């Protein structure tokens, strides 16, 4: 390919990214509050998961049907489930940013993440309530009896708690079991792609990957089977009910031009204009604005007059 065509293609891509960025920034200036709240809640969720580790008490691993059926991967192969989850996470993030690069678009990136964070926050809120209600002995290797990571000593200061001992405190957490956080993210991502994605094969593949992820989590002994099972029906129910409360995303694939969602200010202006038209009596349909003639003190439509004359003739 010649340098001319490469430069031309790069120029088009830069213009497309610049144009999409200006549109997304306009939406972000209006919708930033819920996005910021969702990001802050991710920290709150991590803080709660770290806090329950102080309450964790190691004990014998509970009897679990999944542990009986699925072979144990072992400590040295525990990275497999984390690798798959990283792939799912990165693939979804890249997909949500495709409107900046591809010409075909179905949604706005800001609005899709606003929706995703709403699903995540509600699911994580229910998760926090659940794992604080009952602390189960962790099945993971670093949470079992004899491991020095199974218990956390009382914190020496507030910074030790609020900084979550990142990233060690996140990787080697214990006690936050019911229900699986990895499955919350996985299912929210898959359900979102199921609704707003365009490739049927990728949708089927996404559900298959979610099932494989569930099995790997249990095989890695990072969660009990109940943690995964509860995540499957809880997240689906959360998305079902929360989705009904949220405003539906505009479909950008309809027509050649993308329709920018109205801001609150634009909605107020449009509402005032409609009210003004109603007060002025201008709300009638344009089809009703026909010329009328006056006859015997009454106003009669020209169409009615022509019809009556035709009948007399």
């Amino acid at each position: 390919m010649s340098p001319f065509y490469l430069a031309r293609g790069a120029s088009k891509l830069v213009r497309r990214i610049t144009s999409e960025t200006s549109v997304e920034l306009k939406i972000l200036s209006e919708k930033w509050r819920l996005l910021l709240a969702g990001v802050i809640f991710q920290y709150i969720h991590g803080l709660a998961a770290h806090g329950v580790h102080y309450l964790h008490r190691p004990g014998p691993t509970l009897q679990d049907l999944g542990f009986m059926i699925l072979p144990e991967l072992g400590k040295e192969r525990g990275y497999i489930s984390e690798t798959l989850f990283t792939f799912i996470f990165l693939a979804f993030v890249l997909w949500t940013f495709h409107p900046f690069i591809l010409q075909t678009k179905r949604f706005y990136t800001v609005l899709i993440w606003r929706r995703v964070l709403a699903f995540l926050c509600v699911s994580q809120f229910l998760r926090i309530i659940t794992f604080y209600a009952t602390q189960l002995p962790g099945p993971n290797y670093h949470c079992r009896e004899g491991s020095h990571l199974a218990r956390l000593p009382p914190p020496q200061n507030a910074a030790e708690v609020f900084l979550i001992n990142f990233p060690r405190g996140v990787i080697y957490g214990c006690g936050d079991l019911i229900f699986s956080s990895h499955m919350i993210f996985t299912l929210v991502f898959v359900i979102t792609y199921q609704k707003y994605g365009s490739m049927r094969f990728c949708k089927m593949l996404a559900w298959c990957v979610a099932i494989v992820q569930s099995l790997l989590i249990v095989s890695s002994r990072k969660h009990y089977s109940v943690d995964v099972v509860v995540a499957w029906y809880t997240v689906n129910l959360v998305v079902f009910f929360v989705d009904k409360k949220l405003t539906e995303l505009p479909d950008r694939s309809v027509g050649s031009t993308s329709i920018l969602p109205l801001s609150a200010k634009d909605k107020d202006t449009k509402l005032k204009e409609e009210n003004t038209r109603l007060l002025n009596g201008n709300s009638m349909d344009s089809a009703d604005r026909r010329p009328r003639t006056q006859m015997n003190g009454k106003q009669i439509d020209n169409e009615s007059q022509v019809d009556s004359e035709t009948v007399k003739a």
Side-chain angles (χ1 to χ4, degrees):
M1 188 176 291
S2 65
F4 171 75
Y5 288 106
L6 287 175
R8 187 179 178 183
S11 177
K12 287 183 178 180
L13 181 61
V14 170
R15 285 200 303 271
R16 192 176 299 150
I17 294 175
T18 304
S19 174
E20 186 68 23
T21 301
S22 62
V23 172
E24 296 285 354
L25 286 176
K26 185 176 181 181
I27 301 175
L28 182 62
S29 64
E30 180 71 24
K31 308 290 186 180
W32 63 272
R33 292 176 181 83
L34 185 58
L35 278 170
L36 180 61
V39 173
I40 292 174
F41 194 82
Q42 298 310 299
Y43 167 74
I44 295 174
H45 173 254
L47 186 65
H50 181 62
V52 79
H53 196 166
Y54 290 103
L55 304 176
H56 178 255
R57 296 295 177 265
T61 303
L62 302 179
Q63 184 173 338
D64 188 281
L65 183 62
F67 291 179
M68 299 178 186
I69 298 174
L70 297 174
E72 187 172 354
L73 289 178
K75 188 186 298 185
E76 65 280 358
R77 289 189 292 271
Y79 68 91
I80 297 177
S81 64
E82 293 298 327
T83 303
L84 181 60
F85 176 76
T86 303
F87 168 78
I88 295 170
F89 190 91
L90 293 178
F92 182 80
V93 171
L94 291 175
W95 171 72
T96 59
F97 280 90
H98 83 267
F100 286 85
I101 301 175
L102 302 181
Q103 190 172 0
T104 56
K105 316 171 194 299
R106 293 196 63 184
F107 54 80
Y108 295 95
T109 300
V110 170
L111 297 183
I112 200 78
W113 274 105
R114 191 171 178 261
R115 209 174 195 85
V116 167
L117 285 172
F119 299 151
L120 289 176
C121 290
V122 176
S123 300
Q124 289 166 339
F125 176 74
L126 296 175
R127 180 175 188 259
I128 292 171
I129 295 175
T130 307
F131 66 63
Y132 267 101
T134 303
Q135 291 87 46
L136 302 179
N140 210 335
Y141 303 102
H142 64 268
C143 298
R144 298 177 183 179
E145 290 181 306
S147 172
H148 67 283
L149 297 173
R151 293 176 181 236
L152 284 182
Q156 301 299 319
N157 49 60
E160 186 179 334
V161 177
F162 289 104
L163 294 179
I164 319 179
N165 192 21
F166 187 84
R168 187 181 181 86
V170 176
I171 299 174
Y172 296 104
C174 297
D176 56 326
L177 292 174
I178 302 178
F179 41 98
S180 171
S181 179
H182 284 60
M183 289 310 302
I184 290 177
F185 279 91
T186 299
L187 291 171
V188 167
F189 292 166
V190 171
I191 295 170
T192 303
Y193 184 78
Q194 174 69 32
K195 184 173 183 179
Y196 298 106
S198 57
M199 299 181 67
R200 185 176 181 183
F201 171 76
C202 290
K203 293 179 181 181
M204 296 174 62
L205 180 63
W207 285 111
C208 292
V209 170
I211 295 172
V212 172
Q213 175 70 12
S214 303
L215 299 176
L216 287 176
I217 288 175
V218 178
S219 293
S220 301
R221 304 302 188 250
K222 295 178 179 179
H223 278 278
Y224 293 107
S225 299
V226 66
D227 307 337
V228 175
V229 172
V230 171
W232 268 90
Y233 63 75
T234 302
V235 174
N236 276 280
L237 288 173
V238 166
V239 173
F240 176 78
F241 287 107
V242 175
D243 188 65
K244 288 188 173 183
K245 299 295 182 181
L246 298 175
T247 305
E248 187 53 63
L249 298 185
D251 189 357
R252 302 179 70 181
S253 62
V254 178
S256 58
T257 57
S258 60
I259 302 173
L260 189 66
L262 291 176
S263 63
K265 184 178 180 180
D266 294 335
K267 289 179 182 177
D268 292 339
T269 304
K270 186 176 180 181
L271 185 60
K272 288 179 181 179
E273 291 176 355
E274 292 177 354
N275 290 335
T276 303
R277 287 198 298 270
L278 287 172
L279 292 174
N280 293 335
N282 296 329
S283 61
M284 64 178 66
D285 192 358
S286 59
D288 292 335
R289 296 174 182 170
R290 300 187 295 266
R292 302 170 187 272
T293 58
Q294 188 168 355
M295 184 180 294
N296 297 331
K298 297 181 180 180
Q299 288 188 347
I300 304 176
D301 295 346
N302 285 350
E303 293 181 1
S304 301
Q305 185 178 0
V306 172
D307 293 340
S308 63
E309 289 177 356
T310 303
V311 172
K312 290 179 180 179

